[in-house]
Amino acid sequence: IEGGGIDHVVFSCGSGGTATGIALGFALSGEYNNNRNNNDQKVSSAHPSPQIHAMGVCDHPDYFYQTMTTIAQGMGLLNKSEQKQDDDDDALQSRIRKYITVHQAKGLGYAVSTTEELEFIRQFALDTGIVLDPVYSGKALYNFYNLVKENPDKYRNQKILFWHTGGSLGLYEQEEKLMERFESTSSSSV
């Protein structure tokens, strides 16, 4: 990215798999670069890892933290030591929480959209040409947008990457409601 690194990475979180991969990828990359910096003074990390924001569209943030911990354990990222398993679980979850923040973004519920969410998706498509689905990416971006509006100083002059993870099949579920919104736009603009 021109002029420097990314400050925030935002994406939809439905099962925890993508969140785990992204968080651990950035975490392991950062640890690798830190180790290189310690061993080779010529290597410098100009930009710290971005803050990762997983927008949980179907469950509570604690559920996703526990799911990410379980996935990381399955990948063998649990440090083997003399400690009890519970201590290792807590240490691993604490490490994950250091790299990622899971936000509550399910609204009325999984695959249930509010009028405001659907209007946001419609307007975003008209403004950008990018189609978001109402189940994952649309709900995630809508909720992150509101988070930014609630705390604008935190995000001012920050580089934010929204990672569109797909989810276009979710459009079919809300097709009728979305089409009504687009039809009213096209008839009013003629």
Side-chain angles (χ1 to χ4, degrees):
I1 290 188
E2 190 174 317
I6 299 169
D7 300 304
H8 301 273
V9 175
V10 183
F11 53 89
S12 171
C13 182
S15 68
T18 298
T20 304
I22 292 173
L24 293 177
F26 277 110
L28 294 172
S29 170
E31 289 173 12
Y32 171 78
N33 286 332
N34 286 341
N35 288 338
R36 286 185 57 199
N37 287 342
N38 292 337
N39 295 329
D40 182 1
Q41 299 304 320
K42 295 178 185 175
V43 177
S44 67
S45 179
H47 302 285
S49 291
Q51 174 62 49
I52 311 299
H53 301 271
M55 306 304 291
V57 299
C58 63
D59 220 314
H60 191 272
D62 287 338
Y63 164 82
F64 291 113
Y65 287 121
Q66 184 56 51
T67 298
M68 288 186 274
T69 300
T70 301
I71 293 170
Q73 289 167 335
M75 295 172 64
L77 295 176
L78 182 64
N79 292 331
K80 303 298 180 196
S81 68
E82 304 287 337
Q83 298 176 342
K84 295 180 193 172
Q85 182 73 26
D86 289 343
D87 292 341
D88 282 345
D89 289 355
D90 290 343
L92 184 56
Q93 191 170 122
S94 177
R95 186 172 165 202
I96 289 169
R97 285 175 182 260
K98 175 180 167 187
Y99 289 98
I100 188 167
T101 302
V102 181
H103 302 276
Q104 181 61 267
K106 76 176 182 179
L108 294 177
Y110 177 70
V112 180
S113 300
T114 65
T115 302
E116 293 80 12
E117 289 169 340
L118 293 175
E119 179 58 25
F120 176 85
I121 291 167
R122 181 195 70 83
Q123 192 60 52
F124 188 82
L126 292 172
D127 291 347
T128 67
I130 299 170
V131 178
L132 302 171
D133 72 286
V135 178
Y136 295 101
S137 293
K139 190 171 276 209
L141 188 56
Y142 170 79
N143 281 280
F144 187 74
Y145 174 76
N146 286 328
L147 191 68
V148 171
K149 284 190 342 185
E150 290 169 11
N151 194 357
D153 291 338
K154 179 177 181 179
Y155 299 100
R156 185 170 283 116
N157 298 319
Q158 298 284 294
K159 293 179 182 166
I160 301 170
L161 169 69
F162 180 77
W163 196 318
H164 190 314
T165 56
S168 61
L169 293 177
L171 289 168
Y172 297 113
E173 183 70 29
Q174 299 289 333
E175 175 188 11
E176 198 172 296
K177 289 180 183 175
L178 285 167
M179 287 309 297
E180 288 171 10
R181 297 194 161 285
F182 279 103
E183 288 170 359
S184 68
T185 300
S186 63
S187 63
S188 66
S189 62
V190 175

